[in-house]
Amino acid sequence: MTEKETLKKWLEESDNIVFFGGAGVSTESKIPDFRSTDGLYNQQYAYPPETILSHTFYLRKTEEFYRFYRNKMLFPDAQPNRAHLALARLERMGKLRAVITQNIDGLHQKAGSREVLELHGSVLRNFCTQCKKSYGLDAILGSEGVPGCDCGGVIKPDVVLYEEGLDQDILEKAVSYISQADVLIIGGTSLTVYPAAGLLNYYRGNRLVLINKSVTPMDSRADLVISGPIGEILGEAVEGIPNGL
């Protein structure tokens, strides 16, 4: 039995699947990741991206933060790819319990997934740091310089910057889903960003699937490793399940 056939079999047999994904899930939707050859970390700026996307930089050089953020972090026209759609189908079939994502693009919800835990927040949600009024993405896209609220405060994206902590409620929910999962699928992530990568230590099952284009530190712990484009691999597996279309 090939790796892809094994994946399809495990998906068919389980109704307690959890997916944990990173930037590689969205690269097939033309959203660049941070660490690949053509990712943000390998482009030239006055400051490294991880510096610009830090809480300290946001406070000290707010206008420069927003210039980079608008140019390099927002993709309003991006559409869900085959991986997003396959996961939404699995949920509709009653097989997938939750998607846990490090991405901030909202594409899982756009594809139809309902139970999505966004570890790093979402570019689609923004709020005034003063009065806490909520704003959509247009408030950032349609502004120049530092986006301002009607009250005079600054509008900040609801994304977790470097130096900021993750939402504890979301973390606890993610731990709960992972610790109870029958099948845990990890896709499109280098598994080098903590504390997110540490969540995998809570998995207690014996059907840990890793789908990634490159090797990860967790490959040796996985029960099934499939190398390749996640959209193609997940898409084929889910579409091959009866009622999976």
Side-chain angles (χ1 to χ4, degrees), residues 129-160:
T129 54
Q130 195 163 298
C131 73
K132 306 305 178 189
K133 180 180 176 181
S134 295
Y135 287 89
L137 184 57
D138 288 346
I140 306 294
L141 290 172
S143 63
E144 294 182 2
V146 179
C149 176
D150 301 334
C151 78
V154 174
I155 300 173
K156 183 179 185 293
D158 187 14
V159 299
V160 180

Side-chain angles (χ1 to χ4, degrees), residues 71-193:
N71 289 340
K72 297 297 178 184
M73 302 302 292
L74 303 180
F75 300 87
D77 297 325
Q79 295 299 319
N81 61 54
R82 209 170 165 192
H84 299 108
L85 296 171
L87 291 166
R89 288 190 194 110
L90 280 176
E91 186 181 34
R92 286 197 300 272
M93 295 166 70
K95 290 180 166 296
L96 184 79
R97 298 294 177 88
V99 167
I100 301 165
T101 181
Q102 295 170 284
N103 297 337
I104 56 176
D105 50 48
L107 289 181
H108 284 293
Q109 291 94 327
K110 201 169 186 177
S113 290
R114 293 183 298 274
E115 186 64 359
V116 182
L117 306 185
E118 296 172 313
L119 295 175
H120 297 155
S122 172
V123 299
L124 304 181
R125 297 189 301 270
N126 304 275
F127 65 95
C128 172
T129 54
Q130 195 163 298
C131 73
K132 306 305 178 189
K133 180 180 176 181
S134 295
Y135 287 89
L137 184 57
D138 288 346
I140 306 294
L141 290 172
S143 63
E144 294 182 2
V146 179
C149 176
D150 301 334
C151 78
V154 174
I155 300 173
K156 183 179 185 293
D158 187 14
V159 299
V160 180
L161 302 177
Y162 288 97
E163 304 168 347
E164 294 180 343
L166 303 189
D167 184 292
Q168 287 303 307
D169 289 339
I170 292 175
L171 269 179
E172 287 174 15
K173 208 169 180 183
V175 167
S176 177
Y177 275 120
I178 289 173
S179 64
Q180 296 176 54
D182 173 28
V183 177
L184 175 61
I185 304 171
I186 302 163
T189 172
S190 59
L191 293 174
T192 56
V193 178

Side-chain angles (χ1 to χ4, degrees), residues 167-234:
D167 184 292
Q168 287 303 307
D169 289 339
I170 292 175
L171 269 179
E172 287 174 15
K173 208 169 180 183
V175 167
S176 177
Y177 275 120
I178 289 173
S179 64
Q180 296 176 54
D182 173 28
V183 177
L184 175 61
I185 304 171
I186 302 163
T189 172
S190 59
L191 293 174
T192 56
V193 178
Y194 284 81
L199 289 171
L200 310 188
N201 294 324
Y202 292 95
Y203 179 60
R204 302 189 181 112
N206 58 2
R207 290 186 168 185
L208 175 58
V209 182
L210 269 179
I211 305 171
N212 207 40
K213 285 185 176 178
S214 56
V215 297
T216 78
M218 298 286 185
D219 282 11
S220 60
R221 289 176 50 182
D223 302 292
L224 182 63
V225 177
I226 307 178
S227 179
I230 188 166
E232 174 189 313
I233 292 163
L234 265 185

Side-chain angles (χ1 to χ4, degrees), residues 47 51-52 54-66 146 161 163:
Y47 302 89
T51 298
I52 300 174
S54 70
H55 183 75
T56 299
F57 194 93
Y58 167 79
L59 292 176
R60 292 180 181 171
K61 297 180 180 288
T62 311
E63 191 164 346
E64 197 158 344
F65 167 88
Y66 276 106
V146 179
L161 302 177
E163 304 168 347

